[in-house]
Amino acid sequence: MNPGDPLKLIRFDSGRIGVVRGDQVHDVSDAVGAGQGAWPPVEMNRLIRDFAVLRPAIERAADQARPVPLSSVRLLTPVPWPNKLMAYPVNYHDHATEMASVGFANVQGYFLKAASSLCGAGDSIVLPNVKGREIHHECELGVVIGKEGRNIAVADALDHIFGYACLMDMTIRGKEERVFRKSYDSFTPVGPWIATADEVGDPRALQMKLWVNDVLRQDANTRDLIVGIAEMIALASTASTLYPGDLIATGTPAGVGPLAAGDRVRIEIERVGTMTLPVEQGSIGNNFVFDRPGAGAK
Ligand code: MN
C-alpha cells in the first residue's frame, strides 16, 4: 500500500468484505467474519465498531489475499443495515435559493430515510412509475459513524467518524411526507466504498461533483455547508445515540434535477471516490398518494 492511500473497504458479491488497492480487490472476509450470508447483514457494523483492533489483521489479510480486478466484482452498499440513515435537509445556501426554501438544516434538524433505500455502486437507480412527478438526484457527502455516542461535543465530533462515501439522496419532488418520497428502494446509492477518515483527512473542504450523462450538474465544496459536519454529528446526538455504522447524508448543493430512464449518474468526491449508476424505469411504485393530479408541483 502506498503511504497516504485511503484504506478503502467494500462489500461485494454475496456480502464479502474487501480492501481495494488500485483497481484490485483483496478479500478479507475471513479475517472479519463476513461472507457467510448472515442475516441481518451487520458484519460491516461490527467491523466498524472493532476497527482499531481489527485493522492490523485486515491489512495482513489484504497483503496475503490473491487480488481480483475491481471490475470483476459486484459492489454492494457498504453498510446495508445501519441503525439510522440520517439526512439533513437544505444545507447549502445556493440550494436553499433554488428551492426557495426556508427549512434550512439549522432550523430543521435531521430526518430519516428507510435503510432499505440503500443500494451500491453495482446497482441501478430504479425509478418508480409515479406519474407526472420529477425524481431528482441530490449529490451528498456520506458520513459513516465509527463509535457510539450521545450528546457529542462539536470539538469531539470528527473523532466519531469512521469514514466517508459518495451518497445520492434521491427524491420524488412533491408535498407528501418526505420520508415516503425519499425511501423508495434504490433511492440512496452509497459507495463505491468507505474511505477511512484518517486517510481522507479534513472533511471540511472536499470538492464534490455530480454529472448526468457527462453533463456536470452539481459542483460544490463542503466548506459551504450551512451546518458543518462536526455540528451535524453533535446536533443529531443531542437527540439520538449514534452507533457504529450509522450514516449521515450531509445535504445537497444547488443543481438538483430530474433523472430519466437511460441516464447515467456519476458522483465524485475528492479523496473519497467516484461511482456511476445507470437509471432504469421500474414497473411498480405508483400508489394512491401519488395518484392525485396536481399535488406534486415542487
Ligand atoms: Mn438531501
Side-chain angles (χ1 to χ4, degrees), residues 88 111 138 140 169 182 251-252:
Y88 280 91
F111 64 91
E138 296 186 353
E140 309 197 9
D169 174 19
K182 287 177 172 282
T252 196

Side-chain angles (χ1 to χ4, degrees), residues 90 92-104 134 136 138 171 173-175 181 252-257 297-298:
V90 182
Y92 288 83
H93 287 291
D94 56 357
H95 179 54
T97 303
E98 77 176 350
M99 300 301 287
S101 179
V102 292
F104 296 176
E134 291 191 353
H136 280 197
E138 296 186 353
T171 185
R173 292 294 174 213
K175 305 275 190 209
R181 289 185 288 108
T252 196
V256 301
K298 277 261 178 171

